[in-house]
Amino acid sequence: MSTSVSSNIVSTNILKVLSLSPEEYRKRKVALISGITGQDGSYLTEFLLEKGYTVHGIIRRSSSFNTGRIEHLYRDSHEGPKMILHYGDLTDSTNLVHIISKVLPTEIYNLGAQSHVKVSFDMAEYTGNVDALGTLRLLDAIRTCGLTRHVRFYQASTSELYGKVVETPQSETTPFYPRSPYGVAKLYAYWIVINYREAYNMFACNGILFNHESPRRGRTFVTRKISRAVAEISLGKQECLWLGNIDAKRDWGHAKDYIEGMWLMLQQDSPDDFVLATGETHTVKEYVDKAFSVIGRTIIWEGEGEELVGREKDTGIIRVRVDPKYFRPTEVELLLGNPAKANKLLGWKRKVDFDSLVKEMVLADIEAIVLSVREPSSNELILDDLHVKLSTTLS
Ligand code: NDP
């Protein structure tokens, strides 16, 4: 009985909004984000709330808390623009239809994914189910709800689509050659977005985003693994950092900059696909060097391949070693993006450079570790000792 009452309300709501023109409908500014609990989802939520959107997010049921990155965004519902969370999963079509028909979003950002490349080799089928078919399910849910003309759709495509180097820098016209189950799943998602755009006239865009990082990056991703380890080393809590392929080259930007690009894509007159990148590439080794320099230490590299070690100049202590268990079965050697189209048509440019990104990540990890230590007086001593003015550096 209660189910049929609630589905009646839902269909009444849909009928009401479908009587609006797409322009009137969009003025409601309602965003739905899959992957809201992730790095990008949390920054995007902050960004959209600032712009006056009501933000709905899909979260997975978990036996432990997975909302740490967005907890600061809860607000009393009487205080204006707000964030509302719904349990859901990209593997559950009925649930997606239900959420969309209830929320009636004007923009959907599909950021949800099994997003770890190395893990995708261990969980290839699951990665395909979530990253490839999950995108199809969301697009079909929009169609099922009769909202194809009303909703604008952003797909989190990735530079991992390029995989094996065919040309550099990589742009919207560079052929794809993915090198992981993650990349292959995202390739399906990329094409299904274009297919639905062409077949059903949907406003659907691919943002082909190169790596973007922040203090909110997951701790198993290489940049955050390094920044965390360097922070631990600076506080005497860890001696050595183990890494995989440290010669891999990546185009790293700051997640906050990339969020704005996602939103800009959905504000254009017509849907299109865009690369967001910095146009610079750095090796993992350079990231390590820069991260150690933030705490005033220099690393000297010795040896080759699996024997390569990074030794701290002043103390002679080995701080970095290579462990082949972190190598991927097929590696992406070089990513370097060309953001010229986004620069020109979206007016988008990255603001945070490589050095500032690394510095922010290391300092944020030092702060997080220090704040987790119990005695406040020893915290102050550690901070003084490091000459890190954390409260002013991190806003
Ligand atoms: P994260 O790994 O930080 O976040 C992934 C999000 O997806 C989390 O909220 C996670 O939920 C959610 N998720 C995972 N599986 C499912 C599922 N089955 N159903 C619904 N939600 C699910 O990724 P980022 O924020 O860094 O990236 C956002 C998107 O952008 C991803 O699609 C990623 O592949 C893509 N991308 C990222 C790049 C980067 O450099 N960061 C570069 C290019 C593309 P939970 O918290 O419960 O795990």
Side-chain angles (χ1 to χ4, degrees), residues 34-41 58-60 62 66 69 88-91 110-116 126 130-131 156-159 182 186 207 209-213 216-218 221 262:
S34 76
I36 194 169
T37 56
Q39 169 188 258
D40 291 5
I58 300 175
I59 61 163
R60 298 195 289 173
S62 163
N66 58 0
R69 293 184 179 103
D89 200 295
L90 287 163
T91 59
N110 183 29
L111 310 184
Q114 191 302 94
S115 66
H116 201 283
Y126 176 74
V130 176
D131 299 12
S157 286
T158 164
S159 54
Y182 169 78
K186 286 280 188 175
L209 270 51
F210 282 64
N211 296 67
H212 45 280
E213 318 296 312
R216 296 187 197 167
R217 190 58 148 146
F221 291 86
M262 295 175 188

mmCIF file of all heavy atoms in Angstrom, residues 34-41 58-60 62 66 69 88-91 110-116 126 130-131 156-159 182 186 207 209-213 216-218 221 262, ligand 1:
data_model
loop_
_atom_site.group_PDB
_atom_site.id
_atom_site.type_symbol
_atom_site.label_atom_id
_atom_site.label_comp_id
_atom_site.label_asym_id
_atom_site.label_seq_id
_atom_site.Cartn_x
_atom_site.Cartn_y
_atom_site.Cartn_z
ATOM 1 N N SER A 34 26.751 10.441 -8.571
ATOM 2 C CA SER A 34 27.176 9.103 -8.132
ATOM 3 C C SER A 34 28.653 9.234 -7.777
ATOM 4 O O SER A 34 29.380 9.992 -8.412
ATOM 5 C CB SER A 34 26.975 8.065 -9.240
ATOM 6 O OG SER A 34 27.982 8.205 -10.219
ATOM 7 N N GLY A 35 29.072 8.531 -6.710
ATOM 8 C CA GLY A 35 30.469 8.681 -6.269
ATOM 9 C C GLY A 35 30.668 9.918 -5.418
ATOM 10 O O GLY A 35 31.769 10.465 -5.351
ATOM 11 N N ILE A 36 29.600 10.354 -4.744
ATOM 12 C CA ILE A 36 29.694 11.596 -3.937
ATOM 13 C C ILE A 36 30.662 11.450 -2.767
ATOM 14 O O ILE A 36 31.218 12.433 -2.282
ATOM 15 C CB ILE A 36 28.286 12.022 -3.445
ATOM 16 C CG1 ILE A 36 28.317 13.454 -2.912
ATOM 17 C CG2 ILE A 36 27.748 11.061 -2.381
ATOM 18 C CD1 ILE A 36 26.951 14.061 -2.651
ATOM 19 N N THR A 37 30.895 10.212 -2.322
ATOM 20 C CA THR A 37 31.787 10.028 -1.164
ATOM 21 C C THR A 37 33.265 9.999 -1.569
ATOM 22 O O THR A 37 34.140 9.905 -0.713
ATOM 23 C CB THR A 37 31.463 8.702 -0.436
ATOM 24 O OG1 THR A 37 31.549 7.632 -1.396
ATOM 25 C CG2 THR A 37 30.074 8.720 0.177
ATOM 26 N N GLY A 38 33.545 10.056 -2.866
ATOM 27 C CA GLY A 38 34.932 9.989 -3.334
ATOM 28 C C GLY A 38 35.598 11.359 -3.326
ATOM 29 O O GLY A 38 34.997 12.373 -2.958
ATOM 30 N N GLN A 39 36.860 11.368 -3.747
ATOM 31 C CA GLN A 39 37.614 12.633 -3.799
ATOM 32 C C GLN A 39 36.864 13.688 -4.610
ATOM 33 O O GLN A 39 36.559 14.782 -4.123
ATOM 34 C CB GLN A 39 38.982 12.400 -4.439
ATOM 35 C CG GLN A 39 39.706 13.693 -4.778
ATOM 36 C CD GLN A 39 40.985 13.503 -5.588
ATOM 37 O OE1 GLN A 39 42.060 13.571 -5.028
ATOM 38 N NE2 GLN A 39 40.883 13.290 -6.898
ATOM 39 N N ASP A 40 36.543 13.369 -5.863
ATOM 40 C CA ASP A 40 35.935 14.368 -6.750
ATOM 41 C C ASP A 40 34.519 14.712 -6.300
ATOM 42 O O ASP A 40 34.097 15.868 -6.372
ATOM 43 C CB ASP A 40 35.882 13.842 -8.193
ATOM 44 C CG ASP A 40 37.260 13.733 -8.814
ATOM 45 O OD1 ASP A 40 38.256 13.976 -8.104
ATOM 46 O OD2 ASP A 40 37.348 13.404 -10.010
ATOM 47 N N GLY A 41 33.775 13.699 -5.866
ATOM 48 C CA GLY A 41 32.392 13.918 -5.430
ATOM 49 C C GLY A 41 32.328 14.931 -4.305
ATOM 50 O O GLY A 41 31.449 15.803 -4.276
ATOM 51 N N ILE A 58 24.474 9.607 -4.334
ATOM 52 C CA ILE A 58 24.219 8.171 -4.161
ATOM 53 C C ILE A 58 25.347 7.593 -3.323
ATOM 54 O O ILE A 58 26.525 7.729 -3.688
ATOM 55 C CB ILE A 58 24.171 7.465 -5.535
ATOM 56 C CG1 ILE A 58 23.057 8.071 -6.394
ATOM 57 C CG2 ILE A 58 23.986 5.957 -5.366
ATOM 58 C CD1 ILE A 58 23.007 7.524 -7.826
ATOM 59 N N ILE A 59 25.002 7.000 -2.195
ATOM 60 C CA ILE A 59 26.051 6.357 -1.397
ATOM 61 C C ILE A 59 25.767 4.870 -1.252
ATOM 62 O O ILE A 59 24.621 4.439 -1.208
ATOM 63 C CB ILE A 59 26.233 6.983 0.006
ATOM 64 C CG1 ILE A 59 24.966 6.877 0.854
ATOM 65 C CG2 ILE A 59 26.670 8.421 -0.090
ATOM 66 C CD1 ILE A 59 25.250 7.102 2.326
ATOM 67 N N ARG A 60 26.859 4.112 -1.174
ATOM 68 C CA ARG A 60 26.722 2.662 -1.003
ATOM 69 C C ARG A 60 26.559 2.339 0.464
ATOM 70 O O ARG A 60 27.157 2.980 1.321
ATOM 71 C CB ARG A 60 27.984 1.964 -1.518
ATOM 72 C CG ARG A 60 28.198 2.190 -2.961
ATOM 73 C CD ARG A 60 29.195 1.236 -3.507
ATOM 74 N NE ARG A 60 30.554 1.502 -3.057
ATOM 75 C CZ ARG A 60 31.569 0.702 -3.311
ATOM 76 N NH1 ARG A 60 31.367 -0.423 -3.960
ATOM 77 N NH2 ARG A 60 32.792 1.016 -2.915
ATOM 78 N N SER A 62 27.549 0.564 3.586
ATOM 79 C CA SER A 62 28.838 0.012 3.987
ATOM 80 C C SER A 62 28.788 -0.315 5.479
ATOM 81 O O SER A 62 28.113 0.374 6.245
ATOM 82 C CB SER A 62 29.917 1.065 3.713
ATOM 83 O OG SER A 62 31.081 0.758 4.406
ATOM 84 N N ASN A 66 31.637 5.549 5.210
ATOM 85 C CA ASN A 66 32.316 5.917 3.963
ATOM 86 C C ASN A 66 32.002 7.366 3.583
ATOM 87 O O ASN A 66 32.189 7.761 2.452
ATOM 88 C CB ASN A 66 31.945 4.952 2.827
ATOM 89 C CG ASN A 66 30.448 4.898 2.574
ATOM 90 O OD1 ASN A 66 29.688 5.586 3.246
ATOM 91 N ND2 ASN A 66 30.029 4.091 1.619
ATOM 92 N N ARG A 69 34.548 12.185 3.709
ATOM 93 C CA ARG A 69 34.932 13.359 2.910
ATOM 94 C C ARG A 69 33.795 14.382 2.782
ATOM 95 O O ARG A 69 34.025 15.491 2.322
ATOM 96 C CB ARG A 69 35.332 12.922 1.498
ATOM 97 C CG ARG A 69 36.615 12.097 1.431
ATOM 98 C CD ARG A 69 36.926 11.839 -0.036
ATOM 99 N NE ARG A 69 38.133 11.076 -0.254
ATOM 100 C CZ ARG A 69 38.147 9.774 -0.573
ATOM 101 N NH1 ARG A 69 37.014 9.097 -0.680
ATOM 102 N NH2 ARG A 69 39.282 9.161 -0.773
ATOM 103 N N GLY A 88 22.305 3.633 -2.720
ATOM 104 C CA GLY A 88 22.166 3.129 -4.079
ATOM 105 C C GLY A 88 23.462 2.509 -4.551
ATOM 106 O O GLY A 88 24.467 2.499 -3.831
ATOM 107 N N ASP A 89 23.420 2.000 -5.776
ATOM 108 C CA ASP A 89 24.600 1.345 -6.313
ATOM 109 C C ASP A 89 24.474 1.314 -7.838
ATOM 110 O O ASP A 89 23.373 1.109 -8.374
ATOM 111 C CB ASP A 89 24.682 -0.093 -5.777
ATOM 112 C CG ASP A 89 26.084 -0.654 -5.886
ATOM 113 O OD1 ASP A 89 26.571 -0.818 -7.020
ATOM 114 O OD2 ASP A 89 26.686 -0.930 -4.833
ATOM 115 N N LEU A 90 25.591 1.501 -8.512
ATOM 116 C CA LEU A 90 25.567 1.499 -9.974
ATOM 117 C C LEU A 90 25.282 0.117 -10.555
ATOM 118 O O LEU A 90 25.112 -0.034 -11.758
ATOM 119 C CB LEU A 90 26.889 2.050 -10.528
ATOM 120 C CG LEU A 90 27.056 3.566 -10.361
ATOM 121 C CD1 LEU A 90 28.509 3.974 -10.540
ATOM 122 C CD2 LEU A 90 26.163 4.319 -11.344
ATOM 123 N N THR A 91 25.250 -0.891 -9.708
ATOM 124 C CA THR A 91 24.916 -2.231 -10.197
ATOM 125 C C THR A 91 23.426 -2.534 -10.053
ATOM 126 O O THR A 91 22.992 -3.638 -10.367
ATOM 127 C CB THR A 91 25.712 -3.313 -9.425
ATOM 128 O OG1 THR A 91 25.400 -3.198 -8.030
ATOM 129 C CG2 THR A 91 27.202 -3.149 -9.629
ATOM 130 N N ASN A 110 28.254 11.399 -13.212
ATOM 131 C CA ASN A 110 28.542 9.990 -12.934
ATOM 132 C C ASN A 110 30.015 9.811 -12.572
ATOM 133 O O ASN A 110 30.863 9.530 -13.424
ATOM 134 C CB ASN A 110 28.186 9.110 -14.140
ATOM 135 C CG ASN A 110 28.415 7.636 -13.817
ATOM 136 O OD1 ASN A 110 28.310 7.217 -12.655
ATOM 137 N ND2 ASN A 110 28.746 6.853 -14.822
ATOM 138 N N LEU A 111 30.302 9.988 -11.290
ATOM 139 C CA LEU A 111 31.678 9.859 -10.794
ATOM 140 C C LEU A 111 31.907 8.509 -10.113
ATOM 141 O O LEU A 111 33.042 8.153 -9.788
ATOM 142 C CB LEU A 111 31.983 10.971 -9.772
ATOM 143 C CG LEU A 111 31.650 12.406 -10.186
ATOM 144 C CD1 LEU A 111 32.095 13.380 -9.099
ATOM 145 C CD2 LEU A 111 32.317 12.766 -11.502
ATOM 146 N N GLY A 112 30.864 7.770 -9.878
ATOM 147 C CA GLY A 112 30.991 6.484 -9.179
ATOM 148 C C GLY A 112 31.769 5.495 -10.031
ATOM 149 O O GLY A 112 31.531 5.376 -11.234
ATOM 150 N N ALA A 113 32.710 4.805 -9.417
ATOM 151 C CA ALA A 113 33.496 3.813 -10.161
ATOM 152 C C ALA A 113 34.373 3.014 -9.210
ATOM 153 O O ALA A 113 34.748 3.507 -8.138
ATOM 154 C CB ALA A 113 34.398 4.501 -11.193
ATOM 155 N N GLN A 114 34.708 1.807 -9.619
ATOM 156 C CA GLN A 114 35.863 1.129 -9.030
ATOM 157 C C GLN A 114 37.024 1.803 -9.752
ATOM 158 O O GLN A 114 37.307 1.500 -10.902
ATOM 159 C CB GLN A 114 35.781 -0.381 -9.313
ATOM 160 C CG GLN A 114 36.783 -1.228 -8.543
ATOM 161 C CD GLN A 114 38.236 -0.849 -8.770
ATOM 162 O OE1 GLN A 114 38.823 -0.058 -8.003
ATOM 163 N NE2 GLN A 114 38.835 -1.367 -9.806
ATOM 164 N N SER A 115 37.677 2.741 -9.078
ATOM 165 C CA SER A 115 38.542 3.681 -9.790
ATOM 166 C C SER A 115 40.026 3.338 -9.708
ATOM 167 O O SER A 115 40.852 4.109 -10.196
ATOM 168 C CB SER A 115 38.317 5.091 -9.229
ATOM 169 O OG SER A 115 38.772 5.130 -7.887
ATOM 170 N N HIS A 116 40.371 2.215 -9.107
ATOM 171 C CA HIS A 116 41.792 1.895 -8.933
ATOM 172 C C HIS A 116 42.270 0.961 -10.043
ATOM 173 O O HIS A 116 41.770 -0.157 -10.191
ATOM 174 C CB HIS A 116 42.010 1.257 -7.562
ATOM 175 C CG HIS A 116 43.428 1.350 -7.096
ATOM 176 N ND1 HIS A 116 44.413 0.522 -7.582
ATOM 177 C CD2 HIS A 116 44.026 2.185 -6.212
ATOM 178 C CE1 HIS A 116 45.563 0.845 -7.005
ATOM 179 N NE2 HIS A 116 45.358 1.849 -6.174
ATOM 180 N N TYR A 126 33.972 -7.183 -11.897
ATOM 181 C CA TYR A 126 33.268 -6.188 -11.077
ATOM 182 C C TYR A 126 33.504 -4.779 -11.625
ATOM 183 O O TYR A 126 32.583 -3.964 -11.734
ATOM 184 C CB TYR A 126 33.738 -6.285 -9.620
ATOM 185 C CG TYR A 126 33.122 -5.228 -8.749
ATOM 186 C CD1 TYR A 126 31.785 -5.317 -8.354
ATOM 187 C CD2 TYR A 126 33.855 -4.109 -8.356
ATOM 188 C CE1 TYR A 126 31.204 -4.320 -7.584
ATOM 189 C CE2 TYR A 126 33.284 -3.115 -7.581
ATOM 190 C CZ TYR A 126 31.964 -3.227 -7.192
ATOM 191 O OH TYR A 126 31.383 -2.239 -6.437
ATOM 192 N N VAL A 130 30.550 -2.188 -12.815
ATOM 193 C CA VAL A 130 30.291 -0.855 -12.237
ATOM 194 C C VAL A 130 30.641 0.259 -13.227
ATOM 195 O O VAL A 130 29.825 1.151 -13.493
ATOM 196 C CB VAL A 130 31.111 -0.661 -10.933
ATOM 197 C CG1 VAL A 130 30.916 0.757 -10.393
ATOM 198 C CG2 VAL A 130 30.717 -1.701 -9.894
ATOM 199 N N ASP A 131 31.862 0.189 -13.783
ATOM 200 C CA ASP A 131 32.368 1.333 -14.556
ATOM 201 C C ASP A 131 31.770 1.390 -15.963
ATOM 202 O O ASP A 131 31.527 2.476 -16.496
ATOM 203 C CB ASP A 131 33.898 1.272 -14.655
ATOM 204 C CG ASP A 131 34.575 1.335 -13.288
ATOM 205 O OD1 ASP A 131 33.876 1.189 -12.270
ATOM 206 O OD2 ASP A 131 35.799 1.519 -13.234
ATOM 207 N N ALA A 156 32.561 10.610 -16.049
ATOM 208 C CA ALA A 156 33.962 10.693 -15.617
ATOM 209 C C ALA A 156 34.816 9.758 -16.462
ATOM 210 O O ALA A 156 35.154 8.644 -16.055
ATOM 211 C CB ALA A 156 34.076 10.342 -14.137
ATOM 212 N N SER A 157 35.152 10.220 -17.656
ATOM 213 C CA SER A 157 36.095 9.461 -18.484
ATOM 214 C C SER A 157 37.511 9.795 -18.038
ATOM 215 O O SER A 157 37.728 10.704 -17.234
ATOM 216 C CB SER A 157 35.881 9.769 -19.964
ATOM 217 O OG SER A 157 34.704 9.125 -20.402
ATOM 218 N N THR A 158 38.467 9.075 -18.597
ATOM 219 C CA THR A 158 39.809 9.121 -17.995
ATOM 220 C C THR A 158 40.933 9.042 -19.022
ATOM 221 O O THR A 158 40.777 8.441 -20.091
ATOM 222 C CB THR A 158 39.947 7.923 -17.024
ATOM 223 O OG1 THR A 158 41.332 7.715 -16.710
ATOM 224 C CG2 THR A 158 39.422 6.623 -17.626
ATOM 225 N N SER A 159 42.072 9.599 -18.664
ATOM 226 C CA SER A 159 43.256 9.505 -19.522
ATOM 227 C C SER A 159 43.742 8.063 -19.638
ATOM 228 O O SER A 159 44.534 7.760 -20.541
ATOM 229 C CB SER A 159 44.379 10.386 -18.959
ATOM 230 O OG SER A 159 44.622 10.053 -17.606
ATOM 231 N N TYR A 182 40.227 -1.537 -16.016
ATOM 232 C CA TYR A 182 39.625 -0.235 -15.702
ATOM 233 C C TYR A 182 39.500 0.615 -16.967
ATOM 234 O O TYR A 182 38.433 1.138 -17.284
ATOM 235 C CB TYR A 182 40.490 0.479 -14.653
ATOM 236 C CG TYR A 182 40.146 1.938 -14.429
ATOM 237 C CD1 TYR A 182 39.045 2.306 -13.667
ATOM 238 C CD2 TYR A 182 40.944 2.960 -14.966
ATOM 239 C CE1 TYR A 182 38.739 3.656 -13.449
ATOM 240 C CE2 TYR A 182 40.653 4.297 -14.748
ATOM 241 C CZ TYR A 182 39.549 4.639 -13.993
ATOM 242 O OH TYR A 182 39.254 5.964 -13.789
ATOM 243 N N LYS A 186 36.079 1.785 -18.863
ATOM 244 C CA LYS A 186 35.798 3.206 -19.076
ATOM 245 C C LYS A 186 35.644 3.530 -20.571
ATOM 246 O O LYS A 186 34.993 4.502 -20.935
ATOM 247 C CB LYS A 186 36.906 4.055 -18.443
ATOM 248 C CG LYS A 186 36.856 4.109 -16.915
ATOM 249 C CD LYS A 186 35.820 5.118 -16.434
ATOM 250 C CE LYS A 186 35.888 5.330 -14.937
ATOM 251 N NZ LYS A 186 34.981 6.389 -14.466
ATOM 252 N N GLY A 207 34.139 13.949 -19.865
ATOM 253 C CA GLY A 207 35.313 14.706 -19.440
ATOM 254 C C GLY A 207 36.460 13.709 -19.392
ATOM 255 O O GLY A 207 36.439 12.789 -18.568
ATOM 256 N N LEU A 209 39.562 13.176 -18.143
ATOM 257 C CA LEU A 209 40.388 13.855 -17.153
ATOM 258 C C LEU A 209 41.688 13.102 -16.890
ATOM 259 O O LEU A 209 41.689 11.889 -16.671
ATOM 260 C CB LEU A 209 39.609 14.011 -15.840
ATOM 261 C CG LEU A 209 38.796 15.315 -15.726
ATOM 262 C CD1 LEU A 209 37.906 15.551 -16.930
ATOM 263 C CD2 LEU A 209 38.010 15.368 -14.448
ATOM 264 N N PHE A 210 42.776 13.867 -16.928
ATOM 265 C CA PHE A 210 44.065 13.310 -16.538
ATOM 266 C C PHE A 210 44.125 13.307 -15.011
ATOM 267 O O PHE A 210 43.275 13.884 -14.346
ATOM 268 C CB PHE A 210 45.192 14.123 -17.196
ATOM 269 C CG PHE A 210 45.370 13.754 -18.660
ATOM 270 C CD1 PHE A 210 44.363 13.992 -19.572
ATOM 271 C CD2 PHE A 210 46.529 13.127 -19.102
ATOM 272 C CE1 PHE A 210 44.494 13.612 -20.913
ATOM 273 C CE2 PHE A 210 46.678 12.753 -20.428
ATOM 274 C CZ PHE A 210 45.655 12.990 -21.338
ATOM 275 N N ASN A 211 45.149 12.638 -14.484
ATOM 276 C CA ASN A 211 45.183 12.425 -13.027
ATOM 277 C C ASN A 211 45.035 13.735 -12.258
ATOM 278 O O ASN A 211 45.703 14.719 -12.582
ATOM 279 C CB ASN A 211 46.516 11.781 -12.626
ATOM 280 C CG ASN A 211 46.662 10.408 -13.222
ATOM 281 O OD1 ASN A 211 46.782 10.271 -14.429
ATOM 282 N ND2 ASN A 211 46.636 9.391 -12.388
ATOM 283 N N HIS A 212 44.185 13.696 -11.267
ATOM 284 C CA HIS A 212 44.049 14.855 -10.396
ATOM 285 C C HIS A 212 43.995 14.377 -8.955
ATOM 286 O O HIS A 212 43.368 13.384 -8.632
ATOM 287 C CB HIS A 212 42.857 15.719 -10.777
ATOM 288 C CG HIS A 212 41.612 14.953 -11.064
ATOM 289 N ND1 HIS A 212 41.365 14.316 -12.265
ATOM 290 C CD2 HIS A 212 40.550 14.690 -10.278
ATOM 291 C CE1 HIS A 212 40.201 13.710 -12.221
ATOM 292 N NE2 HIS A 212 39.682 13.905 -11.017
ATOM 293 N N GLU A 213 44.688 15.114 -8.128
ATOM 294 C CA GLU A 213 45.001 14.660 -6.771
ATOM 295 C C GLU A 213 44.609 15.742 -5.774
ATOM 296 O O GLU A 213 44.250 16.849 -6.156
ATOM 297 C CB GLU A 213 46.521 14.415 -6.661
ATOM 298 C CG GLU A 213 47.138 13.726 -7.860
ATOM 299 C CD GLU A 213 46.617 12.315 -8.075
ATOM 300 O OE1 GLU A 213 46.579 11.554 -7.096
ATOM 301 O OE2 GLU A 213 46.250 11.960 -9.215
ATOM 302 N N ARG A 216 42.506 14.794 -0.343
ATOM 303 C CA ARG A 216 41.403 13.838 -0.197
ATOM 304 C C ARG A 216 41.557 12.610 -1.088
ATOM 305 O O ARG A 216 40.653 11.781 -1.164
ATOM 306 C CB ARG A 216 40.070 14.519 -0.531
ATOM 307 C CG ARG A 216 39.728 15.618 0.427
ATOM 308 C CD ARG A 216 38.327 16.149 0.170
ATOM 309 N NE ARG A 216 38.174 17.438 0.819
ATOM 310 C CZ ARG A 216 37.187 18.279 0.602
ATOM 311 N NH1 ARG A 216 36.250 17.958 -0.281
ATOM 312 N NH2 ARG A 216 37.132 19.430 1.227
ATOM 313 N N ARG A 217 42.653 12.496 -1.796
ATOM 314 C CA ARG A 217 42.884 11.340 -2.659
ATOM 315 C C ARG A 217 42.920 10.073 -1.792
ATOM 316 O O ARG A 217 43.446 10.107 -0.666
ATOM 317 C CB ARG A 217 44.242 11.541 -3.342
ATOM 318 C CG ARG A 217 44.573 10.569 -4.461
ATOM 319 C CD ARG A 217 43.576 10.573 -5.569
ATOM 320 N NE ARG A 217 44.180 10.293 -6.857
ATOM 321 C CZ ARG A 217 43.579 9.620 -7.827
ATOM 322 N NH1 ARG A 217 42.355 9.152 -7.656
ATOM 323 N NH2 ARG A 217 44.164 9.437 -8.980
ATOM 324 N N GLY A 218 42.399 8.965 -2.309
ATOM 325 C CA GLY A 218 42.440 7.697 -1.579
ATOM 326 C C GLY A 218 43.884 7.313 -1.255
ATOM 327 O O GLY A 218 44.801 7.591 -2.039
ATOM 328 N N PHE A 221 46.319 5.352 -3.747
ATOM 329 C CA PHE A 221 46.790 5.951 -5.003
ATOM 330 C C PHE A 221 48.197 6.512 -4.783
ATOM 331 O O PHE A 221 48.500 7.043 -3.704
ATOM 332 C CB PHE A 221 45.828 7.053 -5.463
ATOM 333 C CG PHE A 221 44.504 6.513 -5.920
ATOM 334 C CD1 PHE A 221 43.485 6.283 -5.015
ATOM 335 C CD2 PHE A 221 44.280 6.192 -7.253
ATOM 336 C CE1 PHE A 221 42.265 5.758 -5.422
ATOM 337 C CE2 PHE A 221 43.074 5.671 -7.678
ATOM 338 C CZ PHE A 221 42.060 5.453 -6.761
ATOM 339 N N MET A 262 34.319 20.099 -15.025
ATOM 340 C CA MET A 262 33.163 19.203 -15.197
ATOM 341 C C MET A 262 31.877 20.027 -15.310
ATOM 342 O O MET A 262 31.043 19.801 -16.177
ATOM 343 C CB MET A 262 32.993 18.293 -13.954
ATOM 344 C CG MET A 262 34.091 17.320 -13.701
ATOM 345 S SD MET A 262 33.750 16.462 -12.131
ATOM 346 C CE MET A 262 35.269 15.560 -11.936
HETATM 347 P P1 NDP B 1 37.283 7.721 -5.809
HETATM 348 O O1 NDP B 1 37.816 6.339 -5.860
HETATM 349 O O2 NDP B 1 37.799 8.655 -4.756
HETATM 350 O O3 NDP B 1 35.686 7.656 -5.652
HETATM 351 C C1 NDP B 1 34.917 6.686 -6.303
HETATM 352 C C2 NDP B 1 33.487 6.811 -5.846
HETATM 353 O O4 NDP B 1 32.697 5.820 -6.509
HETATM 354 C C3 NDP B 1 33.286 6.588 -4.346
HETATM 355 O O5 NDP B 1 32.305 7.477 -3.881
HETATM 356 C C4 NDP B 1 32.777 5.157 -4.293
HETATM 357 O O6 NDP B 1 31.997 4.872 -3.159
HETATM 358 C C5 NDP B 1 31.905 5.156 -5.542
HETATM 359 N N1 NDP B 1 31.568 3.814 -6.001
HETATM 360 C C6 NDP B 1 32.382 2.747 -6.162
HETATM 361 N N2 NDP B 1 31.704 1.679 -6.579
HETATM 362 C C7 NDP B 1 30.402 2.075 -6.687
HETATM 363 C C8 NDP B 1 29.204 1.409 -7.044
HETATM 364 N N3 NDP B 1 29.192 0.113 -7.353
HETATM 365 N N4 NDP B 1 28.056 2.118 -7.048
HETATM 366 C C9 NDP B 1 28.050 3.428 -6.710
HETATM 367 N N5 NDP B 1 29.153 4.109 -6.334
HETATM 368 C C10 NDP B 1 30.321 3.435 -6.328
HETATM 369 O O7 NDP B 1 37.474 8.360 -7.267
HETATM 370 P P2 NDP B 1 37.727 9.890 -7.676
HETATM 371 O O8 NDP B 1 36.834 10.758 -6.902
HETATM 372 O O9 NDP B 1 39.185 10.147 -7.696
HETATM 373 O O10 NDP B 1 37.283 9.851 -9.201
HETATM 374 C C11 NDP B 1 35.939 10.131 -9.593
HETATM 375 C C12 NDP B 1 35.676 9.526 -10.957
HETATM 376 O O11 NDP B 1 36.589 10.070 -11.902
HETATM 377 C C13 NDP B 1 35.856 8.014 -11.027
HETATM 378 O O12 NDP B 1 34.909 7.507 -11.917
HETATM 379 C C14 NDP B 1 37.251 7.843 -11.595
HETATM 380 O O13 NDP B 1 37.367 6.608 -12.269
HETATM 381 C C15 NDP B 1 37.306 9.027 -12.544
HETATM 382 N N6 NDP B 1 38.628 9.566 -12.801
HETATM 383 C C16 NDP B 1 39.440 9.931 -11.770
HETATM 384 C C17 NDP B 1 40.674 10.476 -12.024
HETATM 385 C C18 NDP B 1 41.569 10.919 -10.911
HETATM 386 O O14 NDP B 1 42.746 11.194 -11.176
HETATM 387 N N7 NDP B 1 41.085 11.061 -9.683
HETATM 388 C C19 NDP B 1 41.165 10.658 -13.406
HETATM 389 C C20 NDP B 1 40.173 10.333 -14.413
HETATM 390 C C21 NDP B 1 38.967 9.797 -14.114
HETATM 391 P P3 NDP B 1 32.665 4.388 -1.755
HETATM 392 O O15 NDP B 1 33.136 5.637 -1.073
HETATM 393 O O16 NDP B 1 31.563 3.699 -1.071
HETATM 394 O O17 NDP B 1 33.812 3.476 -2.121
#
